[in-house]
Amino acid sequence: MDIHDFLHGAGLVFIFLGIGTIIVAGIGLFRLPDLYLRASAVGTSAGLGVASIVIGVLMMDFSWLNLAKAVVAMIAQLLTSAVGSMAIARSGYLNNSLPAEITHTDDLLKTRRDQHADSPDQSTT
Amino acid sequence: MSPTSALASWPWRMISFLFWYAKAFVLANLFVTLDVLRPRKRMKMAPAIIAVPAASTSDTEWTLISCLITLTPGTLTLSISREHQILYVHGMFVASRESLVREIQEMEDRMLKALRRNPGDLSRPLRVPDVVPVDQPPGGELE
């Protein structure tokens, strides 16, 4: 039963790690200044949090079938959080949500038709 | 690299890429978490949107590299231009253009070596082309 107890403890550690990651992601939603920082930091941190909880549960209740399920769940979770973040950020950019002031370089601004034509000085912000 | 030795080292390249990516993923998570929890005045954030020259060619490679970049906390693919071979990457801690470009290109190099049986030519255009907006945008981003 020794290995069983060990796996149980390790599973708990992973679950609380996942909960902590999700809480930090939630705090980040309030603290980060613009859409892109939130999407890049929070979107995927939340994905990692869920993945970590899945690993923890797998350790506490291990079987080969559960391992297969957990792998599928983690791949789907990480893939959808990545694609979702990209879709949100891209549509935000296309809808004129400009990056926060502290963004020091913006190469994508050069490809915008409206910004390029009349106000090139905005690219220096 | 001869065909046989390339085939022999392929599994090794795949596994080493997986481990390297897992390490980069966890480290990036740690940095982002620390910065989010840091008091606002001492935040080290220096976000930027950088055009990174890329060596990917096929659909699979473009999709995978942009997903992997987005999956790493702190970096985010905003858009790609296959015509100019550019990834537009939003980074959270960008000290300089070169540092982000180096980081992304190292990831891409490792990914392409893991993905291709024979990595072949991984060179990129030396100069970032100036993308000039056109009046008539192409039908889709991927054209």
Side-chain angles (χ1 to χ4, degrees):
Chain A
M1 288 315 272
D2 200 18
I3 185 76
H4 183 264
D5 287 345
F6 173 75
L7 277 181
H8 193 85
L12 277 179
V13 168
F14 270 97
I15 288 176
F16 278 100
L17 220 70
I19 294 173
T21 314
I22 292 176
I23 290 175
V24 170
I27 297 171
L29 271 185
F30 290 96
R31 304 212 47 195
L32 296 172
D34 70 354
L35 168 71
Y36 311 102
L37 286 167
R38 287 175 189 159
S40 71
V42 173
T44 48
S45 282
L48 179 78
V50 175
S52 175
I53 291 178
V54 170
I55 292 178
V57 173
L58 175 74
M59 281 180 157
M60 292 173 84
D61 182 16
F62 185 84
S63 71
W64 293 108
L65 183 62
N66 283 352
L67 177 69
K69 286 180 192 167
V71 168
V72 171
M74 272 167 52
I75 291 175
Q77 169 67 36
L78 291 177
L79 198 68
T80 47
S81 70
V83 174
S85 300
M86 275 193 277
I88 291 171
R90 181 66 183 145
S91 56
Y93 205 93
L94 291 176
N95 281 298
N96 300 325
S97 167
L98 287 175
E101 290 288 311
I102 46 170
T103 307
H104 57 78
T105 318
D106 188 351
D107 285 341
L108 202 51
L109 201 67
K110 291 175 200 154
T111 64
R112 289 179 64 117
R113 270 171 296 157
D114 47 348
Q115 297 286 335
H116 192 78
D118 47 22
S119 58
D121 55 332
Q122 285 201 9
S123 61
T124 56
T125 52
Chain B
M1 205 186 290
S2 70
T4 46
S5 75
L7 194 61
S9 69
W10 196 16
W12 165 246
R13 279 179 276 148
M14 280 183 194
I15 293 168
S16 74
F17 170 70
L18 284 181
F19 276 98
W20 180 84
Y21 187 76
K23 191 195 99 195
F25 183 64
V26 172
L27 278 182
N29 250 298
L30 208 66
F31 282 132
V32 170
T33 305
L34 286 180
D35 209 59
V36 164
L37 294 179
R38 199 170 280 147
R40 199 177 291 271
K41 279 176 191 156
R42 288 195 285 127
M43 276 192 176
K44 285 182 193 158
M45 249 185 289
I49 299 174
I50 303 285
V52 180
S56 302
T57 49
S58 70
D59 286 349
T60 316
E61 289 162 5
W62 278 108
T63 314
L64 253 181
I65 188 65
S66 43
C67 276
L68 288 176
I69 290 171
T70 307
L71 205 51
T72 317
T75 53
L76 170 69
T77 315
L78 270 176
S79 177
I80 61 172
S81 163
R82 290 186 65 162
E83 189 188 346
H84 296 97
Q85 293 221 309
I86 287 180
L87 288 156
Y88 289 95
V89 179
H90 179 281
M92 197 165 162
F93 310 101
V94 186
S96 66
R97 175 185 295 272
E98 288 72 27
S99 65
L100 184 77
V101 167
R102 205 180 318 116
E103 203 179 304
I104 298 295
Q105 289 187 343
E106 189 194 356
M107 182 187 290
E108 198 188 29
D109 277 348
R110 286 173 182 270
M111 189 204 76
L112 290 179
K113 280 178 197 157
L115 218 58
R116 293 176 182 171
R117 191 178 304 161
N118 200 340
D121 184 22
L122 292 181
S123 66
R124 299 171 173 89
L126 284 177
R127 195 180 68 91
V128 176
D130 298 321
V131 181
V132 179
V134 287
D135 281 337
Q136 188 64 51
E141 280 172 50
L142 299 186
E143 299 307 318

